[in-house]
């Protein structure tokens, strides 16, 4: 039996599903009536197929994102159990050198800022393979990772990062706090994937020392909207946050967001800093007040702002299809570069199959020889591009566009042109 990315077992075909579309907000339980964007029916974006699975039925689930008119949380119905997604996670954070550097810079900044030393305690939620906590451990600062995927947790242990193989929630936060409360709690790219937000944030409150700090990073809704990054929406990401919505959620659990940083990661993220209510020594910073005001000015507390997004996404689809159809009518060869999860959302929503995109390539050996879910486009190794000498190359991981254009610079020698799908389908000059 071979386990696919995120533990989607290939021999059992598909993960167990908990298809309970919720009509209520995941945070405040208000009825969800408004659609933010409807991406139609889509397969799970990480369930890459082997050749012998191509003839079997494949489950598709609604990818319809709603917005709560009470708390402005943008959210997706939950169709897949987190246990299925995370019990054996194929993504090791340490594979990405830029992400490890990001973590090192974070540790270097936080240690002096919070005065962390051998008497402190740092906890990371969804600590993956220890890519971040290793920098605290190296400085002799007691640390604990909490990570539900046993395989990545064991990689962390090998780095000397103590790791508990569990899902984090309110109860676990309370029981850990009986032993020791945390000076710093870190959560990077985990909040979007938490099905029970209230239990998770209550767990942070329970575990955090009265004088402690929690920092969480997640993609920023403003960047998703402005960059038209609808392809970053997956079934595995249940929530999409503005500063306004996350402040409301933290406040409901006795936590105050007092500072925020804007980051380049994942198409544009924010890192929030939270503390217990009533800690007057840390008032809201100017940059927090500024971002809160900017979101209000941009209308993230008004339904019209959210309603406008769906139409823009549909226009983007038509433009990309128009470009690909014209290329095919002219007899051009079009291939893809990359097989990221976001590519699967894009291709399924746009209905792009191998008649429009011959094949794609990816550096990850696990994906080579497999097929994209839903669209069944073949994935080859990058050398295939040199053989095929296509006229157009559609860059699916647009967030690495510059790196990919450099790697494929030689393709210009046979006249290949590069296309990015968003914010608008564009042939790069
Ligand atoms: Zn709500």
């Amino acid at each position: 039996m071979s386990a696919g990315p995120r533990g989607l077992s290939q021999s059992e075909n598909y993960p167990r599903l908990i298809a309970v579309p919720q009509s209520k907000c995941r945070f405040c339980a208000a009825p969800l009536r408004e659609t933010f964007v409807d991406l139609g029916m889509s397969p799970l974006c990480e369930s890459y197929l082997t050749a012998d699975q191509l003839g079997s039925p494949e489950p598709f689930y609604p990818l319809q994102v709603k917005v709560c008119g009470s708390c402005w949380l943008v959210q997706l119905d939950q169709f897949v159990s987190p246990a299925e997604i995370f019990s054996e996670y194929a993504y090791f954070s340490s594979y990405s050198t830029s992400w490890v550097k990001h973590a090192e810079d974070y540790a270097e900044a936080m240690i002096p800022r919070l005065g962390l030393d051998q008497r402190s305690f740092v906890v990371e939620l969804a600590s993956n393979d220890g890519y971040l906590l290793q920098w605290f451990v190296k400085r002799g600062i007691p640390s604990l990772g909490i990570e539900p995927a046993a395989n990545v947790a064991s990689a962390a242990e090998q780095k000397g990062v103590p790791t508990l193989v569990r899902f984090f929630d309110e109860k676990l936060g309370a029981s850990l706090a009986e032993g020791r409360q945390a000076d710093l709690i870190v959560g990077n790219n985990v909040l979007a994937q938490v099905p029970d937000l209230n239990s998770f944030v209550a767990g942070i409150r329970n575990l955090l020392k009265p004088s402690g700090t929690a920092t969480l990073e997640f993609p920023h809704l403003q960047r998703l909207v402005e960059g038209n990054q609808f392809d970053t929406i997956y079934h595995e990401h249940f929530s999409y946050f503005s500063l306004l919505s996350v402040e409301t959620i933290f406040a409901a659990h006795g936590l105050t967001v007092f500072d925020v940083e804007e980051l380049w990661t994942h198409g544009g993220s924010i890192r929030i800093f939270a503390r217990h209510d009533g800690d007057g020594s840390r008032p809201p910073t100017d940059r927090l007040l500024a971002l809160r005001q900017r979101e209000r000015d941009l209308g993230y507390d008004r339904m019209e702002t959210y309603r406008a997004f769906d139409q823009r996404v549909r226009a983007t689809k038509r433009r990309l299809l128009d470009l690909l159809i014209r290329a095919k009518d002219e007899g051009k060869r079009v291939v893809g570069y990359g097989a990221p999860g976001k590519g699967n959302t894009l291709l399924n929503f746009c209905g792009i199959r191998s008649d429009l995109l011959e094949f794609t390539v990816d550096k990850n050996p696990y994906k080579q020889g497999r097929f994209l879910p839903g669209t069944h486009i073949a994935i080859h190794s990058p050398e295939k591009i040199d053989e095929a000498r296509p006229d157009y190359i559609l860059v699916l991981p647009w967030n690495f566009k510059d790196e990919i254009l450099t790697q494929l610079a030689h393709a210009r020698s046979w006249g290949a042109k590069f296309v990015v799908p968003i914010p608008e389908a564009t042939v790069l000059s």
Side-chain angles (χ1 to χ4, degrees):
M1 179 182 116
S2 64
R6 305 195 177 183
L8 303 187
S9 156
Q10 299 295 326
S11 67
E12 289 164 21
N13 287 328
Y14 301 105
R16 279 197 308 278
L17 298 156
I18 42 168
V20 256
Q22 44 177 56
S23 51
K24 289 180 175 170
C25 173
R26 165 166 296 119
F27 163 64
C28 75
L32 288 176
R33 296 199 181 91
E34 298 277 351
T35 296
F36 173 61
V37 61
D38 186 352
L39 298 171
M41 299 291 284
S42 210
L44 301 181
C45 77
E46 296 284 351
S47 46
Y48 297 91
L49 303 171
T50 57
D52 57 8
Q53 289 177 310
L54 293 178
S56 302
E58 193 179 0
F60 279 56
Y61 307 95
L63 204 48
Q64 187 181 10
V65 189
K66 305 267 183 65
V67 55
C68 175
S70 287
C71 70
W72 307 112
L73 180 64
V74 172
Q75 55 198 291
L76 207 55
D77 285 337
Q78 185 196 335
F79 287 98
V80 190
S81 102
E84 293 293 344
I85 302 175
F86 299 111
S87 57
E88 188 178 317
Y89 201 53
Y91 184 75
F92 287 72
S93 297
S94 295
Y95 286 175
S96 163
T97 41
S98 58
W99 186 239
V100 173
K101 177 74 171 69
H102 177 74
E104 182 183 8
D105 293 347
Y106 169 83
E108 290 303 321
M110 293 305 284
I111 291 167
R113 177 171 170 168
L114 302 180
L116 301 174
D117 61 22
Q118 289 74 6
R119 292 161 300 172
S120 310
F121 184 40
V122 178
V123 177
E124 186 183 13
L125 313 177
S127 51
N128 200 272
D129 60 4
Y131 74 100
L132 183 136
L133 286 179
Q134 61 180 338
W135 304 110
F136 292 94
V137 169
K138 275 184 187 151
R139 300 278 289 266
I141 299 166
S143 303
L144 176 69
I146 298 171
E147 169 54 56
N151 63 328
V152 285
S154 88
E157 291 277 358
Q158 282 162 25
K159 289 191 181 81
V161 177
T163 305
L164 192 59
V165 180
R166 290 278 296 276
F167 280 99
F168 184 73
D169 61 9
E170 183 170 12
K171 263 171 76 178
L172 182 60
S175 78
L176 289 172
E178 284 171 20
R180 189 170 192 188
Q181 284 186 307
D183 296 273
L184 172 62
I185 298 176
V186 193
N188 288 344
N189 297 309
V190 57
L191 206 56
Q193 302 176 35
V194 170
D196 188 345
L197 265 181
N198 285 312
S199 174
F200 188 85
V201 178
I204 293 175
R205 178 204 56 216
N206 288 344
L207 181 56
L208 193 65
K209 248 186 203 173
S211 60
T213 306
T215 76
L216 290 104
E217 289 179 31
F218 44 84
H220 189 197
L221 185 66
Q222 185 199 332
R223 298 295 168 206
L224 187 159
V225 170
E226 289 179 353
N228 211 8
Q229 300 168 2
F230 65 90
D231 57 347
T232 61
I233 293 166
Y234 321 131
H235 291 104
E236 292 87 341
H237 288 176
F238 307 133
S239 308
Y240 302 83
F241 300 94
S242 60
L243 176 64
L244 294 174
S245 64
V246 86
E247 283 195 282
T248 305
I249 294 164
F250 275 59
H253 295 283
L255 294 167
T256 299
V257 178
F258 66 95
D259 193 10
V260 65
E261 287 176 52
E262 294 186 80
L263 308 168
W264 56 269
T265 42
H266 296 276
S269 295
I270 54 176
R271 175 189 291 151
I272 56 162
F273 293 71
R275 55 161 172 81
H276 285 284
D277 287 352
D279 178 355
S281 68
R282 289 184 286 177
T285 61
D286 288 344
R287 55 187 178 182
L288 179 106
L289 299 175
L291 182 55
R292 193 194 283 162
Q293 189 57 48
R294 191 213 297 164
E295 287 191 354
R296 288 200 179 120
D297 293 344
L298 291 169
Y300 286 91
D301 54 358
R302 291 195 300 276
M303 194 53 83
E304 310 88 85
T305 311
Y306 295 91
R307 284 188 189 127
F309 188 60
D310 194 64
Q311 291 306 318
R312 278 185 62 198
V313 169
R314 282 159 199 269
T316 304
K317 169 180 178 168
R318 292 193 297 271
R319 189 176 156 107
L320 176 60
L321 283 173
D322 182 53
L323 194 153
L324 293 175
I325 290 167
R326 269 190 292 124
K328 283 307 214 185
D329 281 349
E330 290 164 12
K332 308 286 191 199
R333 293 190 74 177
V334 187
V335 308
Y337 186 93
K342 60 166 66 72
N344 291 328
T345 295
L346 177 94
L347 298 171
N348 277 292
F349 172 62
C350 296
I352 297 167
R353 292 183 165 70
S354 55
D355 55 339
L356 291 177
L357 195 69
E358 270 182 61
F359 61 82
T360 191
V361 301
D362 201 281
K363 282 199 287 188
N364 182 342
Y366 170 83
K367 294 179 182 173
Q368 293 167 8
R370 290 178 194 261
F371 297 81
L372 299 181
T375 60
H376 295 190
I377 292 168
I379 310 166
H380 297 293
S381 68
E383 294 74 52
K384 180 85 174 175
I385 286 190
D386 299 51
E387 264 172 54
R389 298 166 70 92
D391 301 291
Y392 291 98
I393 301 171
L394 176 65
V395 179
L396 294 169
W398 44 261
N399 46 330
F400 298 114
K401 180 187 72 182
D402 295 341
E403 195 181 320
I404 292 165
L405 258 54
T406 308
Q407 276 170 29
L408 290 179
H410 64 282
R412 294 187 194 275
S413 70
W414 68 75
K417 294 190 174 79
F418 295 91
V419 178
V420 289
I422 68 146
E424 292 297 329
T426 308
V427 179
L428 301 175
S429 52

